Amino acid sequence: MKKQLVVLLSTLSFACGSSQLQQTDADNIPQGPDGVKGRIVETAGEVAVQATGIENSKTTLDKEFTGTEQIAAHMNFLASDELQGRDSGSEGIAKAADYIENVFQKNGVSPYFNSYRDTLSNFKKIAYNVVGVVEGSDPVLKDEYVIIGAHYDHIGIIGGEGDDTIANGANDNATGTTTVIELARYFGTTKKNKRSIIFALFSAEEKGLLGSEHLAKKLKQQNLDLYVMLNFEMVGVPMVGKDHLLYMSGYELSNMAAVSNRYSDITFAGFLPKAKELNLFKRSDNYPFHTVFNVPSQTYCTFDFTNFDHYHKVGDEVDTIDFEHMAKVVNKAIPVMEGIANAPTKEIKYN
């Protein structure tokens, strides 16, 4: 999320706001071969093969589409040391882009432009978003678009703790990237969307939302009929003491949370007072689409300022991530995304 807040800067600058994080009990994080939390595989190369070679799923909404093995495959590669913290314009993030492209290609997600890579026009280094599309099945509604997005960059090499200088960015935002990859895999293999869905992984978010700003302006120039933009940010650990799975930035600005919950068998999206207090609505990749298109554009997140203390630190490693929680986020998001993509009218509106 955008890192330009000055509130409590001496303690922590968070993309969606600033706050002192409370210490989590790392000793209670289970690890091991079951992949529940932070299962490390032998090499990043093996993970890439494992993830991009996932079979096209034949499951339905009556069954879980995503499991911890799929989540682990993506996460263990995207947050590996091999990618060197995925700084925009680096060799590491280029490997992440290769990986995302391979998953898209193997699972029926087409390039939106001439290729999956869309080079940024507003960043001094060569950097690119990865943009795929699954065309809608309805002859009329397919001309309307839903964007499901997340940023896949992080901050690269930083002053670390001891010998570790790699800010791996597991929660921020390999988790959001993994969620979008799995949603793309679902719709790419099932084609259960009447509206067309663009799956966008943004670069240079950490530089000031530059990737999403670039894409929003480019799509606007093409007169894209954008219905909504749905963004995923830091969804790697469950919230503490909440009765909803995720919170929504800009909760009070639209009926998106209410619509999301109507398509879910749980309270999928809720309100986090801290998100309003710190105006998180303006701190992630949803915001450029709001400013350029003036359509409902909001972020789903589970970082609640009490459940994760490694923001922009080298400790943001894959072993801090709850893979079961992430699988639940994906599986519960599927009917929500499907309901939004298939609604006969544009039912999500700003208040």
Side-chain angles (χ1 to χ4, degrees):
M1 296 183 175
K2 190 177 182 182
K3 317 307 190 286
Q4 297 180 345
L5 288 182
V6 295
V7 181
L8 300 180
L9 185 59
S10 62
T11 57
L12 176 70
S13 173
F14 178 59
C16 286
S18 293
S19 179
Q20 180 77 38
L21 291 183
Q22 296 180 9
Q23 178 69 35
T24 55
D25 187 358
D27 292 337
N28 290 332
I29 298 175
Q31 300 182 42
D34 60 357
V36 172
K37 294 193 181 188
R39 182 175 64 86
I40 306 298
V41 298
E42 290 294 328
T43 68
E46 291 177 358
V47 177
V49 172
Q50 180 182 358
T52 56
I54 291 172
E55 294 292 333
N56 289 351
S57 176
K58 297 181 180 180
T59 59
T60 69
L61 292 182
D62 295 329
K63 300 178 181 179
E64 290 187 348
F65 176 79
T66 294
T68 55
E69 289 186 1
Q70 289 98 328
I71 299 298
H74 299 314
M75 287 295 301
N76 281 312
F77 180 70
L78 293 171
S80 67
D81 284 355
E82 180 181 337
L83 271 58
Q84 295 287 292
R86 304 189 312 278
D87 196 9
S88 296
S90 70
E91 293 182 5
I93 197 171
K95 293 179 181 180
D98 288 342
Y99 180 91
I100 296 164
E101 288 180 353
N102 286 337
V103 177
F104 279 6
Q105 186 175 34
K106 289 178 180 294
N107 289 281
V109 181
S110 302
Y112 180 78
F113 299 108
N114 291 332
S115 73
Y116 291 108
R117 300 190 186 197
D118 176 37
T119 302
L120 272 57
S121 59
N122 54 356
F123 188 60
K124 60 183 178 180
K125 295 182 179 180
I126 297 175
Y128 30 81
N129 300 324
V130 181
V131 188
V133 65
V134 177
E135 185 179 25
S137 62
D138 186 276
V140 175
L141 291 179
K142 71 177 183 179
D143 293 329
E144 298 176 4
Y145 285 79
V146 172
I147 294 177
I148 300 176
H151 74 91
Y152 75 112
D153 67 308
H154 199 233
I155 59 175
I157 306 299
I158 63 173
E161 301 169 5
D163 295 332
D164 190 0
T165 59
I166 300 174
N168 299 79
N171 200 15
D172 183 18
N173 188 32
T175 59
T177 300
T178 293
T179 301
V180 173
I181 286 173
E182 282 298 279
L183 291 172
R185 192 169 70 86
Y186 173 80
F187 285 103
T189 55
T190 65
K191 312 297 184 186
K192 290 185 176 181
N193 52 299
K194 294 181 179 181
R195 288 183 176 84
S196 297
I197 304 178
I198 292 172
F199 297 94
L201 286 311
F202 306 110
S203 188
E205 186 268 1
E206 302 285 359
K207 312 300 182 183
L209 310 182
L210 298 182
S212 50
E213 176 186 69
H214 164 85
L215 183 61
K217 290 179 177 179
K218 187 169 184 175
L219 294 177
K220 184 66 172 179
Q221 290 174 352
Q222 295 182 346
N223 295 314
L224 184 87
D225 186 357
L226 180 60
Y227 170 27
V228 290
M229 192 278 177
L230 310 166
N231 191 53
F232 287 88
E233 177 92 37
M234 294 185 73
V235 293
V237 291
M239 292 185 291
V240 178
K242 306 295 190 298
D243 63 356
H244 44 276
L245 182 61
L246 309 100
Y247 68 85
M248 174 157 283
S249 69
Y251 176 90
E252 71 284 0
L253 300 179
S254 79
N255 64 340
M256 189 182 289
V259 172
S260 298
N261 292 337
R262 177 152 41 89
Y263 290 121
S264 180
D265 61 355
I266 63 170
T267 304
F268 183 76
F271 175 65
L272 186 74
K274 199 75 173 178
K276 182 177 181 179
E277 174 188 341
L278 298 174
N279 200 10
L280 304 195
F281 175 70
K282 294 184 177 181
R283 305 295 171 179
S284 193
D285 287 308
N286 60 286
Y287 191 62
F289 292 92
H290 161 75
T291 58
V292 172
F293 282 92
N294 194 30
V295 299
S297 307
Q298 291 166 261
T299 292
Y300 299 103
C301 184
T302 66
F303 172 73
D304 67 6
F305 297 88
T306 71
N307 60 355
F308 188 77
D309 66 347
H310 304 289
Y311 171 75
H312 275 201
K313 297 179 181 178
V314 296
D316 187 1
E317 300 266 14
V318 73
D319 62 2
T320 68
I321 303 303
D322 186 331
F323 291 165
E324 285 188 341
H325 163 73
M326 285 190 63
K328 182 177 181 180
V329 167
V330 173
N331 290 321
K332 294 300 184 182
I334 286 172
V336 174
M337 303 296 108
E338 196 170 290
I340 291 171
N342 294 340
T345 62
K346 294 180 178 180
E347 57 190 349
I348 300 175
K349 302 179 184 298
Y350 278 137
N351 294 330

